[in-house]
Amino acid sequence: FLLSLKLENKTKGKLQKQICQVVLDHFEKQYAAELGDTWASVRDVLTRPLCWQYAVLLNKFSQSAELENTLHVKGYHPAFQGPLPYLPTSLKCYIRRTPGRFPAQKHQAGKLKEYYLLNAASLLPVLALEVKDGEDVLDLCAAPGGKSVAALQCACPGNVSRCCWKLIPGSVPGLCQLCLKLSRLFGTQHSESEYLYCELSYLLLLIVQVLVDAPCSNDRSWLFSSDIQQATLRLIQRKALSSLQFQLLRSAIKALRPGGSLVYSTCTLSKAENSDVINLILDSCSNVTPVDISEMAKAVSQEFTFLRGMQQHELLVLPEKGRAWGPMYVAKLKKM
């Protein structure tokens, strides 16, 4: 009980952060224009961390019946219970309506983690990708690689090529790690500009599936920037992100095998980094076509709130009280 109380107090301490007014003012101006009346309810969730929810993704490589029983006792239930077009039985994620955070699990040498805490909306890009056994997958912007871990819960790909190695050692057994390829590109810094050279490493791979979880304006974390100067600089640099994202997508398309699929995702509400980037790709690349993911969105509509008026190949998860997931933008394309 005392350990649980300490964890709860520690979590509350982390969540009681100060809002960065500079960022909030910027968001107010942009998102009030882009989202209209919806922004008010979204803002209420984003600015109140104590109402945020956390999902628990189970690790199929370290299954625990006791853990699932504990989650049930604490009010968690399986997510994604609708008739999804793609939902492997090996992918187990638990959520609950009430706020709160299940205790995080630290990595122990020689032992795999039993679960991971995450924003449930971050699994939607993986479900949209529809990874199958034996297919080669490229997670272009994996840092630290949570979606790569989620993809490995779904299937056993032929190869998973990634740009970061942080989460894998404590997530999958050594035998499974043999199917992973790590590209260190030009050094080990993994800066945003470094991703622009990914095409040099992957042009000859002809990947079947590519996930581009792009560097973006992370709305949740930016709202609580403790350094005002850093926040101001971020907002200035924000204008260049869409160009970076566009170039990443171009590189990903070059690496993609004809007939292969590409999923693009961000954790921002920004139209300039979401729909505008995808529209620019569709206008400039004649060899890609949009893929309808509206059935997936419909199947998970009980768990997530989506922005209305989106096209069939895209969705935007809006945080809402009781369903405080997102922001998460997802779009799917196919190479002809």
Side-chain angles (χ1 to χ4, degrees):
F1 173 78
L2 290 176
L3 178 59
S4 176
L5 184 62
K6 286 181 180 179
L7 286 170
E8 183 178 351
N9 290 335
K10 185 177 180 181
T11 299
K12 286 183 177 180
K14 287 183 178 180
L15 295 180
Q16 291 173 346
K17 299 178 180 180
Q18 293 296 315
I19 294 173
C20 181
Q21 195 62 44
V22 172
V23 175
L24 181 58
D25 291 344
H26 181 89
F27 284 180
E28 286 279 7
K29 183 177 179 179
Q30 178 180 352
Y31 293 150
E34 293 182 4
L35 302 177
D37 296 338
T38 306
W39 165 240
S41 59
V42 172
R43 178 192 58 210
D44 286 347
V45 174
L46 290 180
T47 56
R48 297 177 183 175
L50 288 177
C51 77
W52 293 359
Q53 295 159 265
Y54 296 85
V56 182
L57 176 65
L58 304 192
N59 186 1
K60 72 177 183 181
F61 301 108
S62 181
Q63 294 183 356
S64 170
E66 182 180 350
L67 173 60
E68 292 193 66
N69 291 334
T70 300
L71 289 170
H72 283 298
V73 169
K74 291 184 175 293
Y76 286 84
H77 62 273
F80 312 122
Q81 298 185 67
L84 276 157
Y86 171 81
L87 182 61
T89 56
S90 56
L91 180 70
K92 293 185 178 181
C93 178
Y94 283 82
I95 60 175
R96 65 178 181 181
R97 291 287 183 183
T98 55
R101 186 171 186 168
F102 199 72
Q105 188 176 35
K106 292 184 178 180
H107 171 54
Q108 299 179 23
K111 185 177 181 180
L112 298 178
K113 288 186 176 182
E114 295 181 341
Y115 62 90
Y116 319 91
L117 303 184
L118 45 77
N119 186 324
S122 65
L123 293 178
L124 294 180
V126 176
L127 292 175
L129 198 62
E130 300 187 23
V131 180
K132 297 179 177 61
D133 290 345
E135 291 182 341
D136 290 343
V137 179
L138 168 59
D139 190 350
L140 190 64
C141 307
K147 292 180 178 64
S148 288
V149 171
L152 288 168
Q153 303 303 316
C154 296
C156 295
N159 287 294
V160 179
S161 300
R162 314 174 58 250
C163 298
C164 180
W165 191 252
K166 186 175 180 181
L167 288 183
I168 290 297
S171 307
V172 299
L175 183 62
C176 190
Q177 290 183 33
L178 293 177
C179 78
L180 302 175
K181 292 180 181 178
L182 171 64
S183 173
R184 296 193 179 277
L185 303 177
F186 293 84
T188 58
Q189 295 182 352
H190 302 296
S191 63
E192 289 182 354
S193 61
E194 194 174 303
Y195 293 128
L196 297 178
Y197 300 99
C198 281
E199 61 181 288
L200 299 178
S201 299
Y202 295 119
L203 274 176
L204 299 178
L205 287 180
L206 293 178
I207 303 295
V208 177
Q209 308 277 12
V210 178
L211 173 62
V212 182
D213 187 42
C216 67
S217 306
N218 189 321
D219 293 351
R220 284 198 187 219
S221 65
W222 281 26
L223 274 170
F224 296 92
S225 301
S226 57
D227 187 328
I228 295 179
Q229 289 184 336
Q230 182 190 50
T232 303
L233 181 61
R234 279 176 170 174
L235 293 175
I236 294 173
Q237 295 175 334
R238 191 182 200 201
K239 298 177 182 178
L241 281 173
S242 58
S243 176
L244 170 66
Q245 292 154 352
F246 175 77
Q247 292 180 67
L248 284 169
L249 283 170
R250 288 289 298 268
S251 296
I253 291 168
K254 289 180 180 179
L256 192 61
R257 180 183 304 172
S261 299
L262 181 152
V263 171
Y264 174 74
S265 63
T266 74
C267 52
T268 179
L269 298 164
S270 176
K271 182 174 177 289
E273 300 177 49
N274 295 336
S275 296
D276 288 353
V277 173
I278 291 297
N279 289 336
L280 184 58
I281 281 290
L282 290 172
D283 289 341
S284 60
C285 299
S286 59
N287 61 339
V288 294
T289 184
V291 177
D292 188 347
I293 57 172
S294 59
E295 286 301 313
M296 183 186 77
K298 182 180 179 181
V300 297
S301 59
Q302 289 188 345
E303 285 102 349
F304 303 100
T305 300
F306 297 106
L307 178 66
R308 295 181 179 180
M310 303 295 285
Q311 299 185 72
Q312 290 184 326
H313 62 273
E314 59 179 355
L315 59 84
L316 178 60
V317 179
L318 301 176
E320 181 183 79
K321 288 183 179 178
R323 297 192 289 186
W325 314 114
M328 180 60 61
Y329 174 81
V330 182
K332 187 171 184 178
L333 307 175
K334 183 178 180 178
K335 186 173 182 178
M336 304 302 290

